[in-house]
Amino acid sequence: MSYQDHIIEMSQLIKSKNGTWDGINAESVARMRLQNRFKTGLEIAKYNAAIMRRDMAAYDLDAGKYTQSLGCWHGFIGQQKLISIKKHFGNTDRRYLYLSGWMVAALRSEFGPLPDQSMHEKTSVPALIEELYTFLRQADAREMGMMFRDLDAARAAGDKKREQELIDAVDNYQTHVVPVIADIDAGFGNAEATYLLAKKMIEAGACALQIENQVSDEKQCGHQDGKVTVPHEDFLAKVRACRYAFLELGVDDGIIVTRTDSLGAGLTKQIAVSHTPGDLGDQYNSFLDCEEIAAADLKNGDVIINREGKLLRPKRLPSNLFQFREGTGEDRCVLDSITSLQNGADLLWIETEKPHVEQIAGMMDRVREVIPNAKLVYNNSPSFNWTLNFRQQVYDAWKTAGKDVSSYDRAGLMSVDYDATELAAEADERIRTFQADGAKRAGIFHHLITLPTYHTAALSTDNLAKEYFGSQGMLGYVKGVQRKEIREGIACVKHQNMSGSDLGDDHKEYFAGEAALKAGGVHNTMNQFA
C-alpha cells in the first residue's frame, strides 16, 4: 500500500468516528504504519524466506550472484552493519545476517563467557534473533523519519518536485530487515527439544535454521577437536523436526541448512541401526575402525557387527565412543550431504579445517553428481589463519610448478618479513577473490564470517584504550573515533538520533501537538554534527 493510500484509508476511518477521533492525524498514522512495516517475527520469517528462495534461484542461474553475511552478537551491531551496507552500496541485496552459536555462548549467556559446547541457555538464541530484528526495524523507523522530516521541509518551502521525489522514495523504500541464518547448534537435546527451539527461533523471525550432525551433549566448536557425530537417522529426525516447525507456523518455504562436521569428527557415540546390507545405517557403520574376529575371540561386553558373514569388532575407546577409520572424513561428508539433501535440507554446510577452494570443490563435485543444484553455505572462519594458509597454498603451487621458493620458509610465512614479497601479494589476491572463486568453482551460495564482530570489538577497543589511557588522552578518542565518524558519515555519530530521540520527538508532536516538549531543539548538542 502506498503512502497516499495509507493516508486515504486512515482519513476515512477517522471520519467514520463522527468527530471523536479528530485529534488523530491521518498522515501521522500513515507514517507510523510505514515505519513499522513488520508487526510480528513470523511476518519477518515469511518475508525473508521468499527473499532467500529468490536468491537461491538466481545463484543457480549465475554463480556470481552469491550471498554474504557477517555474524552479529548484538542488535546494534547488526543494525549498524545494515546501515553501512545501504550507505555504501545503496541496497541490501544478497546481504544477510548470521547468528553464531559461538558468539551467543561467549557473549550472551547468563553464565558468563562459555565455550561453544551448547552449554548456554537455548532461549538466548531466539532472544538474540528478536533483538536483531528490533534494531533493524528501528533503523527503518529512523531513516524513514528523516525522510518525512525532509518531506515536511519541502512542503514548507513549496518545492513540489522535491516533495514528490520524497514520496516516491517512501513508496519504494527498501527495509533494513534481511534474512538471518540462525545457528541452532546440534538441536539442544532430542528431536522434540529441537522442534520446540526451532519454533521459538522462527517466531522471533528466523527464516533459515542451521543444524549440525554432532551429538547434542558432546557438541564442540566446529574448529575444535573431540567432535562426535550421530547416525544419519538421528540427525534426519531433527531436520524433520525443524521442517515441522516451519510448516506448523506457516513458513512453508523456510530454509534448513544442514552442517556436517564429519571432516574433523573421528568419533561416534553409537553404532547405527542397520536392517539390510547397504542401507543408510550400514553405510554409516562401514566407516568404523573395526577388526575382524572369530567367535572364540569374543570378550565380555564386546559390541560386534556382522557384515557379509564376517564378525567385526569396532574400536571402542575408554570414553565408550567408537572410532572411525582415518582418512574417511571426506567420504562421510559427501554421504552426509547427499543424505541431507535427499531428506529435506535446502543448503549444505561442510565444516573444513582450512579455506581451500579445491578441497571444498572436490567434495561438492561428488555431491553434485547426485544432486546437480546442491549449494553450500561456507564458514569463512576467523579460526583459520588466512594469511598463513594462503601463503602456504601459493608456496606449494609455486613449488609444484618448479618455481624457485628457496628464499621462503614455508613454516614461517606468517612473518611480517614476507609482507612485501611477490608470494604475499599473490596470496592476498587469492584471499580477495576467495568468495567469488568458491561460488563459481565449489557451489558456495552463501559466504559468512562467523565471529567477525567479536574480533572487531576487541581490536577497536584495544586501539582506543592504548591511545586514550596513554599520552594522547582525549585526542585518542577524537582522532581515532569521532573525527573518523564525522568524515566517514557514520550514522551513530549522532548517537541521540540513533537511539531514537528524534523518533520520540515526532511521536510527542503527534500526541500533544504544539504542547509537545521536544528534545531536538536549538540547544541540543547533536546539532554540532549537522
Side-chain angles (χ1 to χ4, degrees), residues 3-22:
Y3 183 42
Q4 195 61 39
D5 288 340
H6 276 292
I7 295 173
I8 293 169
E9 182 181 275
M10 283 301 99
S11 296
Q12 292 171 345
L13 178 61
I14 291 167
K15 186 177 180 180
S16 72
K17 300 301 178 181
N18 300 316
T20 60
W21 283 18
D22 284 357

Side-chain angles (χ1 to χ4, degrees), residues 231 233-234 270-276 279-285:
E233 290 297 348
D234 295 48
Q270 61 199 97
I271 295 172
V273 174
S274 173
H275 300 289
T276 58
D279 66 13
L280 200 52
D282 190 43
Q283 291 180 69
Y284 186 80
N285 294 339

Side-chain angles (χ1 to χ4, degrees), residues 232-252:
H232 295 97
E233 290 297 348
D234 295 48
F235 182 60
L236 294 177
K238 294 186 177 182
V239 173
R240 287 191 288 270
C242 291
R243 182 62 67 199
Y244 271 106
F246 273 124
L247 294 174
E248 177 184 342
L249 295 172
V251 187
D252 295 350

Side-chain angles (χ1 to χ4, degrees), residues 213-271:
N213 68 335
Q214 292 192 52
V215 177
S216 288
D217 59 354
E218 298 283 355
K219 182 257 189 299
Q220 297 277 12
C221 171
H223 294 283
Q224 291 183 322
D225 204 356
K227 293 191 291 184
V228 183
T229 63
V230 297
H232 295 97
E233 290 297 348
D234 295 48
F235 182 60
L236 294 177
K238 294 186 177 182
V239 173
R240 287 191 288 270
C242 291
R243 182 62 67 199
Y244 271 106
F246 273 124
L247 294 174
E248 177 184 342
L249 295 172
V251 187
D252 295 350
D253 52 357
I255 287 88
I256 298 175
V257 183
T258 51
R259 174 176 132 181
T260 171
D261 280 276
S262 290
L263 195 62
L267 304 169
T268 183
K269 195 167 187 176
Q270 61 199 97
I271 295 172

Side-chain angles (χ1 to χ4, degrees), residues 67-181:
T67 58
Q68 299 168 289
S69 66
L70 294 173
C72 299
W73 54 272
H74 193 280
F76 176 73
I77 300 297
Q79 177 198 67
Q80 293 304 301
K81 189 190 94 168
L82 267 297
I83 288 174
S84 177
I85 287 170
K86 288 192 75 174
K87 179 183 75 173
H88 290 296
F89 304 105
N91 61 69
T92 62
D93 296 350
R94 303 197 308 277
R95 295 167 179 112
Y96 307 162
L97 291 178
Y98 179 66
L99 186 152
S100 161
W102 193 103
M103 286 208 284
V104 172
L107 298 170
R108 302 303 300 263
S109 172
E110 292 185 9
F111 293 107
L114 293 172
D116 183 22
Q117 296 172 356
S118 290
M119 295 189 290
H120 55 281
E121 311 88 337
K122 65 175 69 177
T123 53
S124 60
V125 182
L128 179 53
I129 297 169
E130 183 176 7
E131 178 182 289
L132 285 165
Y133 282 125
T134 296
F135 274 80
L136 295 184
R137 291 161 65 195
Q138 192 259 8
D140 282 356
R142 168 189 167 272
E143 189 170 69
M144 295 193 81
M146 293 190 294
M147 294 166 66
F148 293 138
R149 288 181 174 220
D150 289 343
L151 175 58
D152 290 340
R155 283 178 179 167
D159 188 341
K160 295 292 186 182
K161 180 181 178 182
R162 177 61 176 157
E163 178 183 353
Q164 188 58 52
E165 288 174 350
L166 286 161
I167 290 173
D168 291 342
V170 168
D171 287 342
N172 294 286
Y173 182 76
Q174 186 184 45
T175 177
H176 293 84
V177 170
V178 299
V180 167
I181 298 176

Side-chain angles (χ1 to χ4, degrees), residues 21-36:
W21 283 18
D22 284 357
I24 303 296
N25 180 278
E27 186 165 16
S28 298
V29 177
R31 292 181 177 187
M32 295 175 78
R33 282 188 164 190
L34 290 168
Q35 286 173 292
N36 185 27

